Amino acid sequence: MTISRYRPARLATAVVLAFLAVALVAQAQDESPPATDARQATAEAIDQRRQTQQQQDAWSDEKAALVARYRAAKTNVAWLTDRRTDEKARTAAVEDRVAELGRRLDEADRPESSMQDTLLVIFDRLAESVRHSAPFLPEERRLRLESLSTE
């Protein structure tokens, strides 16, 4: 009798175990949508991270291009500044040379006017000398003095 007494308990235990197994399978099937949601959320997060990384890479490339343009522009400004300084120096040198040539022209006019005065004085002395000297070929001397005075 003791054996038959434990048989229904085993049967009940088996039924309870089967019921628990069915419940666990049902629960696993019920948890399937949240697992799918988790996978979908993970996939979306990965896509978003990929897009963010692509955007960061694009911004990094754009930044590098802008930095290169900035450095090139800065170098160009420095070169142009140096060139402008050189051109100002050349212009100043040319202006100095023009001023020097103008000064020389002014000085060249002074001796000419003083030379004219000197030549007039010498001519007057020569004429005076001819008048007071011996009358040797007076007509020839007069003609020569006239030719000197007309030139």
Side-chain angles (χ1 to χ4, degrees), residues 18-129:
F19 179 71
L20 283 174
V22 170
L24 286 175
V25 169
Q27 186 180 7
Q29 287 177 353
D30 287 343
E31 288 182 7
S32 179
T36 303
D37 290 344
R39 284 187 185 128
Q40 187 178 4
T42 303
E44 288 174 1
I46 290 172
D47 285 343
Q48 187 176 11
R49 177 64 181 136
R50 185 178 303 127
Q51 289 173 357
T52 303
Q53 185 63 43
Q54 288 172 348
Q55 214 172 25
Q56 285 177 342
D57 290 345
W59 287 342
S60 177
D61 292 345
E62 185 178 357
K63 179 183 174 185
L66 289 174
V67 166
R69 281 182 57 200
Y70 172 75
R71 287 183 180 154
K74 197 172 179 181
T75 302
N76 196 19
V77 166
W79 181 80
L80 289 173
T81 302
D82 290 345
R83 179 151 180 163
R84 184 180 72 193
T85 303
D86 292 346
E87 290 301 320
K88 279 185 178 181
R90 285 183 188 173
T91 302
V94 168
E95 288 173 352
D96 289 347
R97 185 164 166 86
V98 166
E100 177 65 21
L101 290 174
R103 187 185 62 77
R104 285 183 183 181
L105 281 174
D106 290 343
E107 287 180 9
D109 287 342
R110 275 189 231 151
E112 184 179 328
S113 65
S114 67
M115 190 177 279
Q116 286 290 337
D117 293 339
T118 304
L119 287 175
L120 285 175
V121 169
I122 291 173
F123 181 76
D124 288 342
R125 284 184 190 167
L126 182 62
E128 192 66 32
S129 171

Side-chain angles (χ1 to χ4, degrees), residues 16 36 136:
V16 169
T36 303
F136 178 73

